[in-house]
Amino acid sequence: MTHCPCCSRKLFSECCDPIISDQSAPTALALMRSRYSAYSIGSAEYLVATTHSRTRSQYQVDDIRQWSESNHWTKLEIISVEHGRVMDSRGVVEFKAHFRDAKGIEQVHHERSVFLKEGTQWFYLEGKINPQAVDLTKKISRNDPCLCGSGKKYKKCCA
């Protein structure tokens, strides 16, 4: 038995494998972790299937498979999680995916991802690469842009 690639310290068979097999994550964070594991094991079909229908056409199974298999995935670091619980319909997870590329060079993919839930299924919608740090001491107004990067006003998004 092997530990899960998502760095949860659980066995793969008890962590991300059931989520990848059933394509059903209970939270946005669980979907994020399972998607990292899917990159680690080369499960490109799962990655496309768990991408929201609004953005799914931007991704090709063969391209994802080639990229995931050409890298050696070494660590997932969760930076922050906003919403995305079982009863939520939207969640944001900021993470750093550490890997060695095809040339053996250490790389870090830093992203702030937005997830949407439709019915009981969570989907990856989009992500912002290398997001800017958010000043958590600044008061957010209802009419400010939402911190999740959706482009909507805060009051219409994560408020």
Side-chain angles (χ1 to χ4, degrees):
M1 297 195 150
T2 61
H3 283 90
C4 195
C6 79
C7 301
S8 66
R9 297 185 183 163
K10 297 178 184 176
L11 296 176
F12 179 63
S13 62
E14 298 171 356
C15 188
C16 289
D17 188 34
I19 294 171
I20 292 170
S21 297
D22 295 340
Q23 295 187 359
S24 181
T27 64
L29 178 59
L31 182 61
M32 173 62 247
R33 287 184 172 282
S34 69
R35 287 175 59 87
Y36 175 85
S37 292
Y39 275 106
S40 180
I41 64 170
S43 184
E45 292 83 3
Y46 173 75
L47 292 161
V48 171
T50 57
T51 300
H52 196 275
S53 59
R54 289 194 299 195
T55 54
R56 191 175 295 147
S57 64
Q58 299 171 19
Y59 302 94
Q60 302 300 317
V61 171
D62 291 337
D63 294 341
I64 292 171
R65 181 177 294 110
Q66 189 279 327
W67 192 70
S68 71
E69 292 176 353
S70 68
N71 296 302
H72 175 72
W73 301 89
T74 56
K75 180 173 83 169
L76 175 63
E77 180 183 354
I78 303 300
I79 307 299
S80 67
V81 179
E82 298 168 21
H83 308 291
R85 295 174 295 272
V86 174
M87 300 305 289
D88 293 331
S89 60
R90 184 179 181 90
V92 178
V93 179
E94 184 175 343
F95 67 93
K96 291 182 180 179
H98 298 256
F99 63 96
R100 277 193 306 278
D101 65 18
K103 296 178 181 177
I105 299 169
E106 295 286 333
Q107 303 284 342
V108 177
H109 175 89
H110 183 187
E111 182 173 324
R112 186 171 169 84
S113 298
V114 177
F115 297 88
L116 295 179
K117 186 177 181 184
E118 292 185 350
T120 59
Q121 178 100 25
W122 280 100
F123 294 95
Y124 168 79
L125 177 64
E126 62 190 355
K128 184 171 185 171
I129 309 292
N130 298 321
Q132 293 181 354
V134 176
D135 182 0
L136 297 176
T137 62
K138 179 184 175 228
K139 183 165 173 44
I140 301 166
S141 166
R142 294 173 30 87
N143 291 318
D144 284 343
C146 191
L147 297 175
C148 75
S150 67
K152 297 179 183 178
K153 289 183 179 183
Y154 180 67
K155 67 183 178 187
K156 295 285 186 178
C157 194
C158 293

